[in-house]
Amino acid sequence: MFNKSVLFIATLLSAATLSAQPKVMSHRGFYAHPGSYENTLTSLKGAQQLGVEAVELDAHLTTDDSLMVLHGPKIVGTNYNIQQIDYKTAKSCVLPNGDHIPSLREYFVQAKKTQALKLFLELKSHSTPEREAQLVEKVLDLAKKMNMIDQTVFISFSMNACDEVLRLQPGARVIPITSSKTVPTAQQLKDKGYWGISTYSGVLKDRPELLDDAHNLGLVTVLWPVNDYDLTDYAIRHNVTYASTDHPDSMKPLLDAVRSMKWKSQKKLICFDLDGTLTQHKTQLTPANKAVLDTLKTKYEVIMVGAGNCPRIYKQMNDYPITIVGNYGMQESQIVNGEFKVVRDDKIESDRKFFEKNCNYLRKKYGYTQYKGDPLEFHESGMVTFGLLGTKADIADKIIFDPDRAKRRAMYPEVLKIFKDYAVYIGGSSSFDFAPKQYNKFDAVMRYAKEHGYTEDQVLYVGDDFADGGGDSHIRIYGMDYIQIDDYTKLPEKLKILF
């Protein structure tokens, strides 16, 4: 357990000024409290409430090919092996906290409520390579149907299972787990297409060069189990990406304090998304979130970096006096002598016939032939909005149309392929946005930062949609520090670490 030594915490805080910030992975959810149990929906909800960055879970196949979440394979309090019974029998078992064993589908449904939460899904070893291949196929099939590929990292002690994921889902995030001292080299993992390395702390403690090699090659690192301050200190000092712990309620406040101190001393420029971050979609800035901006502006430079144009953002923010970088960087406005003024306005002509032809094809294929207003909105900048509900759809209808973006994520691979020469975003609440290829929020932020004398490590981005295709996705892809907002009404609480 964690030893709550003030001196030790101070040492950790000091280390944070030199190192990256590990993310908290809640091992089997947050179950170390009364009324919970590992790998249950209760433990998942507990981890979501804590606000950890990741949760580890374990998946098995039953005899009738149902996907169940359990560490197992033995079911506690019974003589059953989860891999040797059917779904009905597994569901009849009652766990020590009164929960039943969740199916993977049930687990995904709950996890989708926190899109920022990364799931490290362990594919448990099965009796034969063929059975493991069936497990992988079924897990991937369910993840694709429920649009959970982007939210999931596939991990396993079985290299056979890991290789099978990469074969069936090229580009998936896959990490082998090992507790052996004969760890594959970082280069070997990179060459095979793996996303990272997950290693027992007893192996890495004496071989930090394994972490250094992995980071130099751009691989993610996972250290487990991290259940005391010594290992937390080690994780911080060696830039571990994810620290997997059985005590997230102890580790998260500690690392929040570390992150807060680091960012308070380091960050100079705070960049905000609008819809879903500061406001509900196309609704006005609330007094509570305006107060957050007012407070932050006393310590940092604060700007808006939005998908919409500058006048629209300014109006939605009730004429709040702030610099705005709009249209993914195509436009910029400032407050000059107390007046709103657009100071840069890039324009690139769009190919109307190309957009009309291909968006009409997509409407027919996916069944969005009923809409209000126009089918497409051609912006003066050259950006194009493909609103599935049309340009005149009611805001209430837009808000409820695709809240988890599942409908548009199902279309996204084909949309991306058709519009390969454009930057494609799953925009707003019911649309796709297309921008000239060179415009995205990372490049927009860095252009502004360089023009105003900031380095990347002095920049922090606050947004809500960092998944592939999301308006904020390039911020994540290119490695800029960010805070993800899942509920704009919780923004004051989420950003208090910066005050």
Side-chain angles (χ1 to χ4, degrees):
M1 284 290 290
F2 289 83
N3 179 357
K4 297 184 178 180
S5 163
V6 174
L7 179 60
F8 207 98
I9 293 174
T11 303
L12 286 175
L13 293 173
S14 176
T17 63
L18 304 175
S19 308
Q21 173 71 55
K23 298 178 176 65
V24 178
M25 184 191 301
S26 193
H27 185 228
R28 305 179 197 169
F30 176 37
Y31 63 91
H33 64 92
S36 188
Y37 191 72
E38 61 185 34
N39 273 319
T40 61
L41 296 182
T42 300
S43 69
L44 171 59
K45 292 173 184 176
Q48 289 171 308
Q49 290 169 357
L50 277 178
V52 299
E53 288 90 351
V55 164
E56 186 268 353
L57 65 146
D58 306 282
H60 299 262
L61 267 181
T62 60
T63 55
D64 53 356
D65 294 344
S66 297
L67 293 168
M68 305 298 288
V69 177
L70 182 82
H71 180 254
K74 187 179 185 297
I75 301 174
V76 66
T78 77
N79 292 320
Y80 293 136
N81 180 318
I82 189 73
Q83 298 176 15
Q84 297 173 4
I85 58 176
D86 61 15
Y87 174 83
K88 184 177 180 180
T89 305
K91 269 297 187 182
S92 70
C93 297
V94 180
L95 298 172
N97 70 326
D99 278 357
H100 292 270
I101 302 169
S103 68
L104 184 58
R105 179 180 293 277
E106 290 172 322
Y107 204 95
F108 277 170
V109 168
Q110 179 60 36
K112 283 169 72 73
K113 297 176 182 179
T114 309
Q115 292 186 4
L117 183 71
K118 191 70 71 180
L119 298 183
F120 280 69
L121 192 160
E122 182 179 341
L123 301 156
K124 300 299 285 190
S125 298
H126 280 59
S127 56
T128 65
E130 292 75 21
R131 195 60 175 152
E132 287 181 355
Q134 290 176 315
L135 170 69
V136 170
E137 183 178 1
K138 288 189 171 294
V139 167
L140 287 176
D141 183 58
L142 181 64
K144 284 185 281 190
K145 286 179 179 177
M146 297 185 68
N147 295 292
M148 289 297 290
I149 293 290
D150 290 344
Q151 198 173 336
T152 305
V153 180
F154 302 94
I155 63 176
S156 184
F157 281 95
S158 167
M159 293 298 288
N160 171 64
C162 290
D163 289 344
E164 189 68 5
V165 175
L166 287 180
R167 186 183 74 81
L168 294 176
Q169 189 70 30
R173 299 180 181 93
V174 185
I175 301 179
I177 317 171
T178 179
S179 57
S180 170
K181 291 186 178 182
T182 57
V183 180
T185 68
Q187 190 63 58
Q188 288 171 331
L189 294 171
K190 179 79 171 181
D191 290 345
K192 291 193 73 171
Y194 288 125
W195 195 55
I197 181 172
S198 177
T199 310
Y200 175 58
S201 56
V203 173
L204 283 183
K205 196 72 185 291
D206 298 321
R207 298 184 63 191
E209 72 277 3
L210 294 173
L211 293 170
D212 295 337
D213 292 345
H215 294 142
N216 288 337
L217 289 171
L219 297 178
V220 165
T221 53
V222 180
L223 187 66
W224 56 270
V226 183
N227 288 335
D228 59 46
Y229 277 126
D230 286 334
L231 282 172
T232 304
D233 177 44
Y234 182 88
I236 292 173
R237 291 182 184 279
H238 293 282
N239 302 324
V240 167
T241 315
Y242 289 93
S244 180
T245 180
D246 295 297
H247 306 289
D249 53 330
S250 297
M251 181 180 284
K252 187 175 186 302
L254 171 67
L255 292 186
D256 282 348
V258 170
R259 182 183 289 113
S260 176
M261 190 207 73
K262 178 182 177 182
W263 282 355
K264 282 179 180 178
S265 65
Q266 180 189 66
K267 301 305 179 186
K268 306 296 182 185
L269 175 65
I270 312 294
C271 306
F272 277 90
D273 172 55
L274 182 60
D275 287 339
T277 300
L278 276 171
T279 69
Q280 177 60 279
H281 179 70
K282 291 190 177 179
T283 60
Q284 300 305 109
L285 180 66
T286 63
N289 287 353
K290 175 183 178 297
V292 170
L293 295 178
D294 290 340
T295 300
L296 291 175
K297 285 172 71 174
T298 65
K299 301 176 65 175
Y300 313 91
E301 181 178 1
V302 180
I303 68 170
M304 297 299 302
V305 181
N309 62 59
C310 294
R312 196 270 281 180
I313 293 173
Y314 183 65
K315 183 178 179 181
Q316 188 175 338
M317 294 183 67
N318 302 317
D319 299 352
Y320 187 82
I322 193 169
T323 294
I324 302 169
V325 176
N327 291 342
Y328 296 103
M330 299 184 75
Q331 199 174 63
E332 183 180 332
S333 66
Q334 298 175 2
I335 304 302
V336 180
N337 297 323
E339 298 293 329
F340 171 84
K341 183 178 181 180
V342 175
V343 297
R344 181 169 55 81
D345 198 6
D346 299 348
K347 291 182 172 63
I348 298 177
E349 187 174 353
S350 58
D351 185 341
R352 286 178 172 257
K353 289 184 178 179
F354 172 78
F355 276 96
E356 288 168 350
K357 174 185 174 181
N358 286 289
C359 290
N360 186 51
Y361 157 77
L362 290 165
R363 280 194 184 280
K364 290 180 179 179
K365 178 173 181 177
Y366 291 93
Y368 298 111
T369 55
Q370 301 297 317
Y371 54 87
K372 293 182 179 180
D374 296 322
L376 289 165
E377 184 175 2
F378 293 93
H379 303 276
E380 187 179 0
S381 63
M383 287 184 58
V384 179
T385 298
F386 174 28
L388 299 181
L389 301 182
T391 59
K392 301 294 185 181
D394 296 334
I395 289 179
D397 291 337
K398 289 183 177 182
I399 291 173
I400 65 173
F401 170 71
D402 192 21
D404 63 357
R405 298 175 172 87
K407 296 176 182 177
R408 286 168 292 165
R409 292 202 194 285
M411 299 173 61
Y412 180 70
E414 185 171 11
V415 175
L416 190 65
K417 183 177 180 181
I418 292 173
F419 296 95
K420 64 183 185 306
D421 295 325
Y422 293 84
V424 181
Y425 303 101
I426 300 173
S429 58
S430 58
S431 63
F432 289 96
D433 288 334
F434 304 93
K437 193 76 172 180
Q438 67 270 35
Y439 292 102
N440 61 76
K441 289 190 178 182
F442 176 83
D443 287 333
V445 168
M446 289 310 302
R447 174 177 176 171
Y448 184 91
K450 290 175 182 177
E451 289 174 352
H452 293 80
Y454 300 111
T455 58
E456 184 178 337
D457 62 358
Q458 293 176 317
V459 180
L460 179 66
Y461 185 90
V462 183
D464 71 303
D465 190 11
F466 296 91
D468 292 350
D472 308 316
S473 59
H474 290 83
I475 298 293
R476 171 186 60 81
I477 290 168
Y478 293 115
M480 181 174 285
D481 286 336
Y482 66 86
I483 294 176
Q484 181 154 353
I485 305 299
D486 295 313
D487 181 350
Y488 78 99
T489 65
K490 303 292 179 59
L491 181 91
E493 179 183 349
K494 197 72 179 279
L495 296 191
K496 65 184 180 182
I497 65 171
L498 299 174
F499 295 166

